């Protein structure tokens, strides 16, 4: 197969299908990271530049729970998810909210500053060395014929589906979820009916951080953590959020799958180093032809 003068390799359907299936599991990981990002944007209407740093911090928490206490990374979710919520709530209420004075452009700079502080603190405390969580089941899995899937990838897929469903139910069925939706739709109107907007902002940021903590628990058996770890996923998570639609949970899930499959097929045909070009191409095309994303709505 030839494309723009380049000779692309030819593969059988089983190889292509295997790469696509691998892309689904990779996309589930991207979706996990993007869920918290899209929630925070949907309510606060800002891009949280500290998202990657918070993911890295949660990964270190999972690592040290395993290293010092022997806690399985999946069981660590029972600790890091509530801890992530409390940390995110306090961070927004005590730092981001107070220093931004309600101005969105200042919030962007504050989250960037928070990211720099967290990353440099991690570099000072933990050094640049990679830390691995070693579990006995990391290579166990199931043979699908066209590809081999490890249990950790299956756990990430199941986790992304369950967390998306849980967030959707929370937003639709609970009073807090309805208040979050009201604040996201109209801040001033929410204030007029008695909703504590600052409290809802902090809750939303806390839930977004809790999603990052859940993602960290599911990523820990597969990926090593180091101070710049967040950059590995958060840049792609931004693309996932734009593709799916800002503020859409379902969009983040579907966008993650699309990006994951595209990346794997791109690596198959273009090689490991050039495969990521396909993600950038999708990002540009979405901004050109559908800036609201697949499930986004016009303002």
């Amino acid at each position: 197969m030839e494309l723009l003068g380049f000779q692309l390799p030819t593969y059988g359907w089983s190889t292509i299908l295997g790469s696509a299936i691998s892309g689904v599991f990779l996309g589930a990981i991207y979706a996990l990271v993007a869920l918290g990002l899209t929630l925070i944007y949907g309510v606060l209407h800002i891009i949280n530049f500290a998202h990657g740093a918070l993911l890295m911090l949660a990964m270190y928490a999972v690592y040290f729970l395993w290293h010092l206490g022997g806690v399985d990374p999946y069981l660590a979710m029972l600790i890091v998810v509530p801890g992530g919520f409390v940390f995110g709530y306090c961070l927004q209420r005590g730092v981001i909210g107070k220093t931004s004075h309600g101005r969105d452009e200042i919030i962007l700079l504050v989250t960037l500053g928070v990211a720099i502080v967290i990353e440099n603190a991690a570099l000072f405390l933990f050094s640049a060395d990679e830390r691995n969580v070693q579990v006995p089941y990391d290579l166990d899995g199931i043979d699908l014929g066209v590809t081999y899937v490890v249990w950790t990838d299956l756990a990430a897929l199941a986790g992304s589906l369950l967390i998306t469903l849980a967030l959707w139910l929370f937003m639709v069925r609970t009073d807090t979820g309805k208040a979050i939706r009201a604040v996201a739709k109209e801040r001033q109107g929410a204030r007029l009916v008695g909703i504590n907007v600052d409290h809802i902002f902090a809750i939303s940021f806390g839930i977004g951080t809790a999603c990052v903590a859940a993602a960290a628990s599911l990523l820990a058996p597969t990926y090593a953590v180091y101070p710049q770890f967040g950059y590995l996923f958060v840049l792609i998570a931004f693309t996932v959020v734009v593709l799916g639609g800002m503020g859409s949970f379902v969009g983040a899930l579907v966008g993650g799958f699309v990006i994951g499959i595209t990346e794997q097929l791109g690596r198959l045909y273009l090689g490991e180093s050039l495969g990521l070009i396909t993600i950038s191409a999708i990002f540009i095309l979405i901004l050109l032809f559908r800036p609201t994303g697949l499930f986004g709505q016009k303002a």
Side-chain angles (χ1 to χ4, degrees), residues 58-141:
M59 286 283 287
Y60 272 112
V62 174
Y63 168 79
F64 283 112
L65 284 170
W66 169 81
H67 182 69
L68 301 177
V71 181
D72 184 275
Y74 296 128
L75 290 179
M77 195 180 298
L78 300 176
I79 301 173
V80 297
V81 169
F85 173 81
V86 173
F87 184 82
Y89 183 96
C90 294
L91 180 64
Q92 202 286 328
R93 198 71 187 264
V95 179
I96 297 175
K98 288 186 179 298
T99 56
S100 64
H101 305 290
R103 296 176 60 183
D104 291 348
E105 63 274 17
I106 297 181
I107 294 178
L108 293 174
L109 297 176
V110 172
T111 58
L112 180 60
V114 168
I116 294 172
V117 169
I118 292 176
E119 288 169 5
N120 283 277
L123 185 62
F124 175 77
L125 294 173
F126 310 132
S127 77
D129 296 336
E130 294 185 350
R131 313 288 180 98
N132 296 86
V133 173
Q134 299 175 352
V135 291
Y137 49 80
D138 59 344
L139 297 179
D140 295 338

Side-chain angles (χ1 to χ4, degrees), residues 12-278:
W13 69 269
S14 59
T15 302
I16 297 174
L17 180 60
S19 293
I21 292 174
S22 298
V24 170
F25 293 104
L26 179 63
I29 294 174
Y30 292 157
L32 280 171
V33 181
L35 282 173
L37 193 64
T38 196
L39 172 65
I40 292 172
Y41 179 87
V43 179
L44 276 69
H45 302 299
I46 56 101
I47 297 297
N48 176 23
F49 286 121
H51 199 71
L54 293 173
L55 174 64
M56 174 269 296
L57 202 61
M59 286 283 287
Y60 272 112
V62 174
Y63 168 79
F64 283 112
L65 284 170
W66 169 81
H67 182 69
L68 301 177
V71 181
D72 184 275
Y74 296 128
L75 290 179
M77 195 180 298
L78 300 176
I79 301 173
V80 297
V81 169
F85 173 81
V86 173
F87 184 82
Y89 183 96
C90 294
L91 180 64
Q92 202 286 328
R93 198 71 187 264
V95 179
I96 297 175
K98 288 186 179 298
T99 56
S100 64
H101 305 290
R103 296 176 60 183
D104 291 348
E105 63 274 17
I106 297 181
I107 294 178
L108 293 174
L109 297 176
V110 172
T111 58
L112 180 60
V114 168
I116 294 172
V117 169
I118 292 176
E119 288 169 5
N120 283 277
L123 185 62
F124 175 77
L125 294 173
F126 310 132
S127 77
D129 296 336
E130 294 185 350
R131 313 288 180 98
N132 296 86
V133 173
Q134 299 175 352
V135 291
Y137 49 80
D138 59 344
L139 297 179
D140 295 338
I142 181 173
D143 189 357
L144 299 180
V146 293
T147 189
Y148 182 80
V149 180
V150 294
W151 295 122
T152 52
D153 286 345
L154 289 169
L157 176 60
S160 64
L161 294 174
L162 289 175
I163 292 172
T164 302
L165 177 61
L167 281 175
W168 181 79
L169 290 174
F170 174 79
M171 297 292 286
V172 173
R173 300 293 178 86
T174 67
D175 291 338
T176 303
K178 293 175 182 177
I180 291 174
R181 290 162 56 199
V183 171
K185 193 73 173 178
E186 177 54 59
R187 297 182 188 180
Q188 190 59 36
R191 284 193 176 93
L192 292 176
V193 298
I195 296 176
N196 187 337
V197 173
D198 293 334
H199 177 62
I200 293 299
F201 280 173
I203 286 180
S204 301
F205 204 95
I207 294 174
T209 308
C211 290
V212 164
S217 295
L218 294 168
L219 290 171
T222 306
Y223 294 91
V225 61
Y226 50 95
Q228 287 77 36
F229 173 82
Y231 291 119
L232 180 65
F233 289 99
V234 76
L235 294 177
I236 297 177
F238 280 129
T239 305
V240 170
V241 171
V242 171
L243 173 60
M246 294 289 194
S248 172
F249 299 142
V250 176
L253 185 64
V254 174
F257 291 150
V258 171
I259 293 297
I261 293 172
T262 302
E263 180 182 340
Q264 288 297 88
L265 292 177
R267 286 175 173 174
L268 179 66
Y269 283 100
L270 301 177
E272 191 70 24
S273 60
L274 294 178
L276 292 176
I277 292 178
T278 56

